[in-house]
Amino acid sequence: MGDVLAGIHATWEFESDSVLIRFERGIRAPKLFQALRERRIPHEALESVSLSQGKRGTVVLHAVPRPGADPLMDAAAGQLKEACDPYRLVLPAERETLAEYYADELRTALVPYASKPADRHLVDPPGTPLSFKAYDGRAGFDGRQVTFRWFWTGASSEKWKAGDQTFPITALSGVEWRSPEVFDGHLRLLRRDADDGPAQADRDPASVVFGLGYGPVHESLPFAAAVLAAVRGGGGASIPLQAVPVAAGRRDPADIAERIRHLGDLHRAGLVTDDEFTAKKAELLAEL
């Protein structure tokens, strides 16, 4: 192969053993595509390829990944809207013949066991470090451990009592992502040592809660995919460790500054008293 097929919001480059998908970063492109930038999809990661009629004079070239082959799609668990599916290439109808040619080429490249789940991730996960702002805290992942740092106002009393959390990848068995575009959106870490059923996400120190403007798909889903890939990549094979509070010491000044700004916004809005503002600000500054 080696040819290029340019569509709406993405371009597919067909190589001998894979498809390189480059996503547009224009203002009209889905934010998830802009965050992903580009992805290389090995032929062995694909289950099927189809071409169908789209809307308003378009055709859609659609590749379906094998279950277990792509950490992003595994984490999404079927919750992505059609327009945000990174395996859909929307093309003007006049390119249908060309698209059918490439669809046939891809079909012939599928491995004989394409219908079977992959025993490992075949598509690279998003790179780390990653972070995003949830409703009740900030989540961070450096490739080795996940950290949750609670916001004073958003976090529940259960989370404040537990304190900021650090979860080594070796302590995790998976991750649950529930889209922020539906009710009860959240990201929950599944712990290897957890015996009881999970609490509600707003009370579970192993979860962060989404909300209007918090934990958007283009930030929280790549985060979930990176964590899932790290867990499945072998990190979860070690001796399980307990989730522990963030180690004492100096905090990231940028993180402290953001929390102070958030506190100031609440104070100006009259939601925090002068005494509460002064006491909490002093507490945050003491962490530097």
Side-chain angles (χ1 to χ4, degrees):
M1 299 185 188
D3 296 330
V4 172
L5 186 59
I8 300 172
H9 303 321
T11 298
W12 288 19
E13 182 175 345
F14 299 90
E15 301 179 345
S16 60
D17 60 351
S18 61
V19 179
L20 178 61
I21 303 177
R22 293 190 174 94
F23 299 101
E24 289 185 3
R25 301 186 66 187
I27 192 172
R28 294 185 178 181
K31 290 184 178 180
L32 178 60
F33 290 2
Q34 298 181 50
L36 295 175
R37 298 189 179 184
E38 71 174 40
R39 313 187 78 217
R40 186 178 300 278
I41 314 298
H43 292 160
E44 63 176 323
L46 297 178
E47 178 181 275
S48 63
V49 181
S50 64
L51 184 68
S52 61
Q53 296 297 317
K55 300 176 181 179
R56 303 184 192 83
T58 63
V59 293
V60 178
L61 180 59
H62 188 206
V64 177
R66 295 169 60 194
D70 185 349
L72 186 83
M73 302 306 286
D74 282 356
Q79 299 175 75
L80 281 179
K81 292 182 177 179
E82 188 177 78
C84 291
D85 184 344
Y87 286 85
R88 295 177 78 253
L89 180 65
V90 181
L91 301 148
E94 57 265 24
R95 297 183 187 173
E96 181 174 3
T97 301
L98 188 59
E100 184 61 56
Y101 166 77
Y102 285 117
D104 287 339
E105 290 288 297
L106 280 178
R107 292 187 191 105
T108 61
L110 297 182
V111 295
Y113 45 84
S115 60
K116 297 181 180 180
D119 59 3
R120 60 186 175 87
H121 285 144
L122 301 170
V123 182
D124 289 339
T128 56
L130 292 168
S131 66
F132 70 90
K133 186 176 181 181
Y135 174 74
D136 53 1
R138 175 171 290 279
F141 179 50
D142 63 4
R144 296 176 295 108
Q145 60 185 21
V146 180
T147 58
F148 292 158
R149 292 182 175 175
W150 309 123
F151 294 150
W152 183 45
T153 53
S156 64
S157 59
E158 289 86 352
K159 291 182 177 181
W160 271 113
K161 183 177 180 179
D164 291 350
Q165 299 286 301
T166 293
F167 300 89
I169 285 298
T170 52
L172 305 178
S173 62
V175 61
E176 174 186 273
W177 180 79
R178 184 170 176 83
S179 174
E181 297 175 347
V182 299
F183 177 73
D184 192 30
H186 62 262
L187 181 143
R188 186 194 306 274
L189 302 177
L190 306 180
R191 293 170 289 182
R192 292 164 58 84
D193 62 343
D195 296 327
D196 300 330
Q200 293 181 4
D202 63 341
R203 298 179 179 180
D204 182 2
S207 302
V208 287
V209 176
F210 303 152
L212 186 61
Y214 296 94
V217 171
H218 69 281
E219 294 179 355
S220 61
L221 179 57
F223 185 102
V227 174
L228 181 62
V231 171
R232 190 174 179 188
S238 301
I239 298 174
L241 300 176
Q242 293 284 344
V244 296
V246 175
R250 295 179 63 85
R251 290 284 188 84
D252 181 359
D255 180 58
I256 296 297
E258 179 177 342
R259 296 175 77 169
I260 291 175
R261 284 196 295 271
H262 180 63
L263 179 63
D265 291 340
L266 296 171
H267 181 237
R268 286 188 291 273
L271 300 175
V272 174
T273 67
D274 292 344
D275 289 343
E276 289 173 330
F277 173 76
T278 301
K280 189 60 182 180
K281 182 178 179 181
E283 179 184 326
L284 290 170
L285 290 173
E287 297 180 11
L288 292 173

